[in-house]
DNA sequence: ACCTGAACACCGTTCAAGT
DNA sequence: ACCTGAACACCGTTCAAGT
């Protein structure tokens, strides 16, 4: 608040940093380009030197989010070598923790604030890498012989749908809870993962 | 556009009707209370006679959306009596179709535009009824002996997470496709449903 | 190169006033 | 009861101007 420096060394980064607490406090709808500029100590037009518009700033934040998700998968893989099932659970829980603990960023990433047709190359690359990181874990499981023999892309899609859906339901308020602790999220994760792993059908049947 | 009637018979309904095409055309972010009022042919302050604020109008639209989802489940149940598996698939596909074909409404319902703490009684009731309708189908399957013997709430939660997640990924642009036809959505639905029904694990194991 | 200040066309919301 | 018009405090974005 005492910043008076006329030249910001790295205004771009400063703006991204300033945006996070605003996003967490006021949500996507409450984030204002003018507010971010003010928090960074510059005029409300300064951001246009670094971002084409408000959307570009939001995209940059979303890219960081996807990198975080990818890192969650990579870390899960590294922390549980030779145990694809633990990798699977750890990656899923990391996804869930991220969504809940950075819910404003998750909403920004997934909630139509960034229309698909306006998404830039960086964003598509980042989300693609996150998907690939999860698929690597699925492939570990297939190689180890514990996952069923279907295309990795299909299994990854199904898994991601489950995890993503659960996360969206939690942060969207479709599942009510006063306070979401990691413990409660773990219970939820175990339930859904248990169903997905074992299957809904009592006995395997023909494809519907 | 030729409406000049000073008194609207039922402005509330007229506003809700006027909002839908705007929502579909411009998305949640593009919907404006002033624009809705203008489309309904009244001044920009008239809506405040029927809705406390913009959020209340959005909530009313979301309630209709949840009623639609509930109806999708009820219809699936009615159209496939004594065949819970078909009920299951039909309900899931109805969910997916709705999300894609009314994606602006789906975004409105699920994307944080309506903060959980501000949600009114009507909205919570409507979403609860939709969940209950899906659980009824799950219970049909349990009664028929084709679904595994776990609490219906847990199976419903897991199923909904999968379906909801897939829908969100499609409309959120996480899965790219030029044009989403019902045929393409069916392919996607079969893949994910197949994984969920059969389970990811090659052989059932101990809970993770 | 980087930032500022005024300006424009928009919002949501309030309120006194009209019929 | 229901609607209007002016007004207020905000936006995102543009642009000439400053250092």
């Amino acid at each position: 608040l005492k910043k008076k420096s006329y030249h910001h060394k790295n205004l771009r980064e400063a703006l991204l940093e300033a945006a996070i607490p605003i996003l967490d406090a006021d949500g996507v709808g409450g984030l204002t380009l003018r507010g971010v500029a003010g928090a960074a100590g510059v005029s409300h037009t300064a951001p246009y030197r670094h971002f084409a518009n408000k959307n570009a700033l939001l995209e940059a934040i979303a890219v960081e989010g996807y990198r975080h998700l990818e890192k969650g998968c990579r870390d899960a893989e590294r922390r549980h070598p030779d145990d694809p099932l633990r990798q699977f659970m750890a990656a899923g829980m990391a996804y869930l923790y991220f969504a809940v603990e950075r819910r404003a960023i998750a909403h920004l990433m997934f909630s139509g604030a960034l229309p698909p047709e306006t998404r830039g190359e960086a964003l598509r690359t980042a989300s693609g890498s996150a998907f690939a990181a999860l698929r690597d874990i699925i492939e570990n499981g297939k190689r180890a012989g514990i996952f069923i023999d279907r295309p990795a892309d299909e299994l990854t899609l199904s898994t991601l749908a489950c995890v993503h859906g659960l996360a969206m339901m939690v942060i969207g308020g479709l599942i009510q809870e006063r306070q979401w602790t990691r413990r409660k999220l773990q219970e939820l994760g175990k339930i859904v993962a248990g169903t997905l792993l074992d299957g809904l059908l009592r006995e395997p049947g023909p494809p519907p």
Side-chain angles (χ1 to χ4, degrees), chain A:
Chain A
L1 289 162
K2 53 181 61 176
K3 293 200 177 182
K4 275 295 192 70
S5 67
Y6 183 73
H7 270 248
H8 248 282
K9 251 311 174 27
N10 203 336
L11 182 53
R12 195 192 132 91
E13 307 253 329
L15 289 168
L16 288 176
E17 270 184 38
I20 303 299
I22 295 177
L23 205 53
D24 282 330
D26 305 331
V28 180
L31 183 135
T32 264
L33 206 48
R34 291 167 102 107
V36 173
V42 293
S43 81
H44 62 269
T45 61
Y48 287 90
R49 288 288 128 196
H50 300 274
F51 301 99
N53 48 35
K54 183 182 179 180
N55 224 275
L57 183 139
L58 296 181
E59 269 204 41
I61 297 173
V63 166
E64 296 296 325
Y66 281 107
R67 297 223 177 100
H68 188 103
L69 289 181
E70 182 187 354
K71 186 167 184 302
C73 288
R74 303 291 179 206
D75 286 349
E77 212 177 345
R78 200 174 311 118
R79 272 206 278 268
H80 303 286
D82 306 319
D83 192 341
L85 199 55
R86 279 205 204 290
Q87 293 173 9
F88 175 87
M89 279 303 294
M93 290 311 304
Y95 198 106
L96 209 49
Y97 294 157
F98 172 78
V100 171
E101 289 162 9
R102 313 302 299 274
R103 86 171 54 197
I105 298 183
H107 268 135
L108 168 59
M109 293 161 68
F110 304 126
S111 294
L114 305 173
E117 60 274 17
T118 71
R119 296 190 172 201
E121 186 62 23
L123 191 55
R124 286 197 302 274
T125 303
S127 67
S129 297
F131 184 88
L134 179 59
R135 191 181 49 205
D136 286 347
I137 291 179
I138 298 289
E139 278 170 348
N140 291 343
K142 286 188 66 180
R143 253 194 303 275
I146 63 169
F147 289 159
I148 58 175
D149 187 27
R150 294 191 194 172
D153 274 336
E154 296 187 2
L155 299 186
T156 307
L157 175 71
S158 306
T159 298
L160 189 52
C162 265
V163 176
H164 182 69
L166 183 58
M168 291 301 99
M169 286 170 66
V170 168
I171 70 176
L174 274 69
I175 310 176
Q176 299 283 5
E177 192 78 39
R178 290 159 201 261
Q179 183 88 22
W180 281 107
T181 61
R182 288 202 166 197
R183 182 174 300 277
K184 284 176 191 161
L185 290 174
Q186 272 176 30
E187 290 171 13
L188 217 53
K190 279 185 188 171
I191 289 172
V192 173
T195 311
L196 178 63
L197 288 168
D198 292 341
L200 205 53
L201 288 179
R202 183 184 283 269
E203 300 181 14

